[in-house]
Amino acid sequence: MVKENNIEKIFIPAAGTTSTENDVKENDNVILTMAAREVEGFNGYQGTGFRIIGSAEFLNEGDYFNQVHDKYSFANRALVVTVKEDKQLL
């Protein structure tokens, strides 16, 4: 994740997600959910989750793509999510 001009962006390696890419071309609004049991949640609860609401785009060139591809060589595209809202769920 990076923060530019006070806007957070999440980079996700992508390969073979052509139907999702086509969906994003029609409507770039996305909701992501993620969780980790290793991260302590509210009230000492073992595990937590997050909901991210934002807009998405797939990139196959440029700085964002290069950052993803340098770390994940299998990625032929980068899914970049611009965060509009985030919330811890647990």
Side-chain angles (χ1 to χ4, degrees):
M1 181 171 13
V2 298
K3 197 171 210 175
E4 287 184 349
N5 301 322
N6 215 24
I7 297 172
E8 292 179 320
K9 294 186 179 281
I10 300 172
F11 303 155
I12 303 169
T17 56
T18 54
S19 63
T20 302
E21 184 173 7
N22 290 333
D23 291 342
V24 166
K25 287 177 184 175
E26 294 292 321
N27 181 351
D28 69 351
N29 294 311
V30 294
I31 299 173
L32 305 174
T33 56
M34 57 191 81
R37 71 175 63 142
E38 297 82 17
V39 179
E40 185 176 316
F42 296 131
N43 301 319
Y45 183 77
Q46 186 62 41
T48 192
F50 296 89
R51 179 182 63 225
I52 309 291
I53 298 174
S55 59
E57 63 180 323
F58 281 86
L59 303 175
N60 59 7
E61 62 183 10
D63 290 338
Y64 294 155
F65 168 75
N66 292 335
Q67 288 180 47
V68 171
H69 190 264
D70 288 348
K71 190 168 183 177
Y72 304 98
S73 60
F74 67 87
N76 56 15
R77 291 175 325 291
L79 172 58
V80 179
V81 177
T82 302
V83 178
K84 294 178 181 174
E85 180 185 328
D86 57 41
K87 182 177 181 178
Q88 184 175 353
L89 302 174
L90 297 173

